[in-house]
Amino acid sequence: ILRRLGLDKDLSTTLTNLGNARLTQANMGINPAENLERAIATYQEARMLQRMLGLARYEAVTLNHLGLAYQTQSYPNSAIAAYDEAAAIQRHLGLARDLAKTLNNFGLAYQTQSRLAGNSSIQKQQALENAYRSFQEALERVEYLRGEIGADSEGYKRNFNEEWNKVDSGMVEVCLELGRYQDAIEYVDRSKARNLVEFMATRDAYPGGVIPENVRQQLQSLKIAINQENRRLQQDENQDYTRLYQLRQQKQELEPYKPLRFQAMQELLDEETAIVEWYILPDKFLTFTLTAESLNLWTSSQEDRNNLIDWTNTYLRDYHSNSSQWRDTLADRLETLSQILHLNEILSNLLKNFPKCQKLILIPHRHLHLFPLHALPTSSALSRFGAGGEGKFLQDLFPKGVGYAPNCQILQQVQNRVRPNFNRLFAIQNPNQNLHFTDMEVEAIQSLFNPHQVLKHDQAEKAAIDAETLKNAHCAHFSCGSYFNFENPLKSALILAKSQFTPPPPNNDPSCYIPLGNGKLLDLAKCLTLEDILNLDLSNCRLVTLSASETGITDFTSTSDEYIGLSSGFLVAGAPNVVSTLWAVADISTAIFMIQFYQTIQQQPYLSVVLALRQTQTWLREATVQDLLDWVDSCAVISPKRRKEMKKRLTFGAWKNKLDAKPFESPFYWAAFVAIGAHSNLE
């Protein structure tokens, strides 16, 4: 019909869509050879029409699809030629987003070309170098596009990262094939928590996290100049990139966010500390081990990667649908995860090459953020302390503790936060009055600080939280419930007093409320949401502790590994250290744990957060009922009335007449607590 009516523009678009349909059929295994040939012929006809009609932008789109068809056919040279034509058009028209996609396709085509190079090492190397440059330019374009996003478009930024993380993974793959492991870890680390890094950098550089208008205008002018210079260079036969590099340097000097180079990563580490960083690719996962002097890479098989995904799905399904079974089998599950991650092999290499390592910082990726990696079982062959001194778990191998960080850039930012004081406390105490031992926990902890402000029970309303009091606090302790919103993480919240209601809600507007699993509704306007936390000023705070359930959960559903959660909110607000929980913790063991944790810090004021946490976890899991009873008797910060309640609970039920039992030995009771941030000494 379109041919007969002479509607050539519509015909060209229809032909491109027809080519897409045939390419899809080929990729689905439906007559692949025939459909590929027909798709290519259809694309070629479409692009000839588009060229004749002067539809340059449409032609570039069709050329991109043509390149994909050639790539599917394993004709990388033809694919590269098609992408080259598309890129020339996109550069000329200034189509930054389209060009970024084409450059990514270039990289993939050059990778295919390298794999088809056979025994020709020179051709293989050249193809990989071309792939590296293509991905590098694609990432530069992505950064340009990111800079165009408004500062208030946080949701769009998350979607943007998910759309473009394929370029990061492509670049990492090429770095591995080239043997450029230092470059690989740079791109791995840079791809993680990208929005959070930028947010924190801006917040630390400018009051209120707002870039001044004059700086914003200079940045905008430089973006325009860079774009114009790029377009000019594409039309200049004698290309001189000097001015382009100068413009980019000027822009980078003005921007709060600056990419972290490998040398700067190593400078984060002292002679006793190492970083273990994971990265999950489509067909494998990587484990980087970084010290101040070395970098090692361990690469999994595809089977390992598949096993990790299967293990994760089972873990999460059982946690949400059969919590008692999940809890009872947690130790066995962690043993399996340790095997899947080949932890013993990685640790053996680390301790062999870096025997003086005393402290470990873990940087997970995606769903690995949800698991207590510090509590993974290890082989007794890794013992460093002689007979009878070997530990059962990862953290036992490192006397100065095991902490976590979203990436190296955030680690660098929080390490620069100096907090010399630790005597002012702000605390939220059991706002919904549903945690019996939480009252004992906060009452004991507050006696260790002077001055202290505690909002207890019904007093712990959102309206009662004074921003100035929080700004002056050296420690902020939240003993309250939490809620995580996977659809809109900024609506995740700490649950405060008078925020839960039985339907119908007071104002009869259901849209203002979120249903909870207990049959009640949650009014987020009366909670401390992540959005609220991001606007707090914790410039004097050294430690934030979120002792209630699931406060350490992040949005693992995002493929961008954007570290979004309550913990990240407090890091942005200014805290260098955050202690949070990975699952719904037990009330009594959490109260004991937190009291001992704070006592440990106060008794040894120069102790790091991770070491205090490690010592407390080891103590709790090894303590017998008798040990705990003795501890309660000797714990001066617990009132006589509370001591009686605690002792009664410790000698009740399964622990009755079993004074030598270790009631909290299971990882369920102690492994949920993690330290995120600087992990520096409290000095």
Side-chain angles (χ1 to χ4, degrees):
I1 295 172
L2 295 173
R3 291 185 199 276
R4 187 174 69 247
L5 296 176
L7 301 174
D8 289 344
K9 180 179 178 181
D10 294 337
L11 175 60
S12 73
T13 304
T14 301
L15 286 168
T16 300
N17 292 335
L18 178 59
N20 293 343
R22 287 171 173 166
L23 181 58
T24 300
Q25 284 187 315
N27 289 331
M28 293 173 63
I30 302 171
N31 299 324
E34 178 185 348
N35 273 313
L36 267 177
E37 290 293 342
R38 294 176 70 186
I40 289 170
T42 305
Y43 287 138
Q44 287 173 334
E45 183 182 358
R47 60 78 58 101
M48 291 303 294
L49 266 175
Q50 289 156 351
R51 176 168 294 184
M52 181 183 70
L53 296 170
L55 303 173
R57 184 167 189 168
Y58 291 91
E59 183 186 356
V61 171
T62 302
L63 284 165
N64 242 315
H65 290 303
L66 179 61
L68 290 171
Y70 280 130
Q71 224 169 303
T72 303
Q73 207 176 32
S74 294
Y75 290 162
N77 294 343
S78 298
I80 289 166
Y83 295 143
D84 198 33
E85 288 189 70
I89 294 170
Q90 290 157 349
R91 286 191 174 101
H92 178 70
L93 297 177
L95 304 174
R97 178 177 286 272
D98 293 343
L99 179 57
K101 292 179 180 178
T102 301
L103 290 166
N104 180 63
N105 291 338
F106 255 130
L108 297 173
Y110 280 125
Q111 278 184 292
T112 302
Q113 190 181 62
S114 74
R115 289 160 190 163
L116 296 175
N119 296 324
S120 175
S121 59
I122 296 177
Q123 290 181 4
K124 183 180 181 71
Q125 180 73 14
Q126 184 60 52
L128 288 173
E129 292 287 354
N130 288 336
Y132 183 94
R133 283 192 289 271
S134 297
F135 284 127
Q136 188 176 49
E137 188 180 354
L139 287 169
E140 289 175 0
R141 299 290 169 170
V142 170
E143 281 302 306
Y144 171 80
L145 292 168
R146 188 194 308 278
E148 296 297 298
I149 303 173
D152 57 346
S153 305
E154 198 61 32
Y156 181 74
K157 282 188 175 183
R158 288 196 299 275
N159 295 334
F160 180 89
N161 287 352
E162 290 191 8
E163 178 184 355
W164 293 104
N165 73 335
K166 60 189 175 184
V167 188
D168 292 295
S169 61
M171 176 57 112
V172 171
E173 289 271 21
V174 169
C175 289
L176 297 181
E177 293 181 81
L178 286 168
R180 298 182 184 177
Y181 298 149
Q182 293 183 8
D183 286 0
I185 195 173
E186 280 186 18
Y187 285 108
V188 161
D189 198 73
R190 201 175 299 171
S191 72
K192 297 179 175 182
R194 179 64 177 80
N195 293 342
L196 180 60
V197 170
E198 186 175 355
F199 201 169
M200 289 179 64
T202 304
R203 179 85 177 250
D204 288 350
Y206 301 109
V210 178
I211 299 176
E213 186 57 33
N214 65 318
V215 177
R216 190 183 297 279
Q217 290 178 1
Q218 290 180 63
L219 284 169
Q220 185 61 28
S221 297
L222 285 167
K223 289 174 187 176
I224 294 170
I226 289 168
N227 192 37
Q228 291 174 341
E229 183 66 8
N230 262 316
R231 294 174 66 176
R232 186 192 69 78
L233 286 169
Q234 300 309 317
Q235 301 169 12
D236 191 343
E237 293 183 3
N238 301 313
Q239 295 179 340
D240 181 355
Y241 286 84
T242 303
R243 174 161 169 72
L244 181 62
Y245 293 147
Q246 289 174 344
L247 290 169
R248 286 175 176 169
Q249 181 65 31
Q250 291 175 36
K251 179 173 174 286
Q252 190 176 81
E253 288 173 359
L254 283 175
E255 288 179 327
Y257 166 77
K258 293 174 174 57
L260 199 64
R261 308 296 297 183
F262 178 75
Q263 182 179 350
M265 291 182 186
Q266 288 192 303
E267 289 172 356
L268 296 172
L269 303 172
D270 58 30
E271 60 183 11
E272 295 183 331
T273 307
I275 287 173
V276 175
E277 180 161 4
W278 285 271
Y279 190 68
I280 301 171
L281 287 164
D283 62 340
K284 56 183 170 285
F285 61 85
L286 312 175
T287 310
F288 294 91
T289 307
L290 178 68
T291 72
E293 299 173 352
S294 66
L295 173 67
N296 289 296
L297 171 65
W298 182 90
T299 304
S300 82
S301 65
Q302 183 159 0
E303 182 182 5
D304 289 325
R305 199 262 187 197
N306 294 340
N307 288 338
L308 176 59
I309 300 304
D310 291 342
W311 184 94
T312 297
N313 291 335
T314 302
Y315 176 99
L316 295 176
R317 182 198 66 214
D318 291 348
Y319 176 74
H320 292 290
S321 64
N322 192 346
S323 58
S324 60
Q325 190 263 359
W326 168 87
R327 182 186 61 207
D328 294 341
T329 58
L330 180 59
D332 292 335
R333 292 174 191 270
L334 296 180
E335 177 71 47
T336 303
L337 179 58
S338 181
Q339 294 168 6
I340 292 171
L341 295 177
H342 292 257
L343 190 63
N344 288 325
E345 180 182 347
I346 291 162
L347 292 175
S348 178
N349 291 332
L350 170 63
L351 297 176
K352 178 181 177 181
N353 297 317
F354 191 37
K356 55 188 176 182
C357 186
Q358 301 286 301
K359 179 179 171 184
L360 204 59
I361 298 171
L362 305 178
I363 302 179
H365 188 215
R366 295 180 61 184
H367 43 262
L368 287 176
H369 287 289
L370 300 177
F371 311 135
L373 303 176
H374 62 286
L376 293 182
T378 59
S379 169
S380 58
L382 294 173
S383 169
R384 307 170 69 193
F385 311 109
E390 69 274 5
K392 300 176 183 178
F393 304 100
L394 170 62
Q395 67 178 20
D396 296 333
L397 299 174
F398 300 94
K400 293 191 176 180
V402 177
Y404 292 79
N407 69 358
C408 287
Q409 291 200 282
I410 290 175
L411 185 63
Q412 181 191 57
Q413 286 170 264
V414 295
Q415 281 185 352
N416 291 331
R417 295 173 177 173
V418 179
R419 303 287 190 266
N421 301 311
F422 197 61
N423 56 290
R424 288 199 189 101
L425 172 72
F426 172 84
I428 294 291
Q429 179 181 332
N430 198 12
N432 291 299
Q433 303 179 54
N434 57 344
L435 300 169
H436 179 72
F437 287 99
T438 290
D439 287 324
M440 178 188 301
E441 170 189 321
V442 179
E443 288 168 9
I445 291 169
Q446 73 182 42
S447 67
L448 297 169
F449 291 86
N450 184 24
H452 58 257
Q453 181 186 26
V454 177
L455 298 180
K456 177 180 178 181
H457 299 171
D458 286 345
Q459 296 175 343
E461 295 183 75
K462 184 176 181 178
I465 297 177
D466 178 61
E468 194 65 23
T469 300
L470 263 176
K471 180 180 178 179
N472 293 325
H474 304 145
C475 177
H477 184 93
F478 294 86
S479 284
C480 55
S482 68
Y483 159 77
F484 194 89
N485 189 323
F486 286 101
E487 294 182 3
N488 186 353
L490 289 177
K491 299 300 181 184
S492 302
L494 291 171
I495 300 174
L496 301 177
K498 302 177 184 177
S499 62
Q500 295 186 53
F501 300 92
T502 302
N507 64 4
N508 296 316
D509 182 5
S511 65
C512 299
Y513 296 83
I514 291 173
L516 297 174
N518 58 7
K520 293 187 176 182
L521 298 175
L522 183 66
D523 183 356
L524 287 179
K526 296 187 176 182
C527 295
L528 191 66
T529 65
L530 178 53
E531 209 164 14
D532 296 325
I533 293 167
L534 291 171
N535 292 313
L536 294 176
D537 181 356
L538 298 178
S539 53
N540 292 297
C541 189
R542 183 185 291 168
L543 171 64
V544 170
T545 303
L546 310 174
S547 74
S549 297
E550 299 181 343
T551 52
I553 288 180
T554 59
D555 184 10
F556 63 91
T557 62
S558 170
T559 58
S560 68
D561 194 60
E562 188 55 50
Y563 190 79
I564 306 171
L566 298 172
S567 298
S568 66
F570 285 106
L571 292 176
V572 170
N577 296 286
V578 179
V579 171
S580 57
T581 60
L582 296 175
W583 55 75
V585 291
D587 185 23
I588 182 172
S589 57
T590 298
I592 295 172
F593 183 95
M594 284 297 162
I595 295 169
Q596 177 65 11
F597 171 65
Y598 277 97
Q599 282 188 313
T600 301
I601 290 177
Q602 293 287 18
Q603 290 166 4
Q604 304 175 69
Y606 301 117
L607 210 59
S608 71
V609 171
V610 290
L611 181 50
L613 204 66
R614 176 191 186 274
Q615 290 183 0
T616 306
Q617 289 174 324
T618 302
W619 171 80
L620 184 67
R621 78 175 197 237
E622 294 296 329
T624 64
V625 173
Q626 185 62 62
D627 292 333
L628 293 168
L629 292 173
D630 293 342
W631 174 81
V632 173
D633 279 332
S634 64
C635 196
V637 297
I638 301 177
S639 68
K641 177 184 176 182
R642 297 297 191 188
R643 286 182 199 172
K644 185 176 180 180
E645 293 175 12
M646 179 69 77
K647 292 174 73 173
K648 181 179 179 180
R649 181 65 180 85
L650 287 170
T651 54
F652 178 77
W655 306 325
K656 187 176 182 179
N657 300 324
K658 293 183 179 179
L659 296 180
D660 59 345
K662 297 179 179 179
F664 305 126
E665 186 175 23
S666 166
F668 168 74
Y669 294 104
W670 56 269
F673 304 98
V674 294
I676 305 150
H679 320 306
S680 56
N681 290 354
L682 297 175
E683 58 181 344

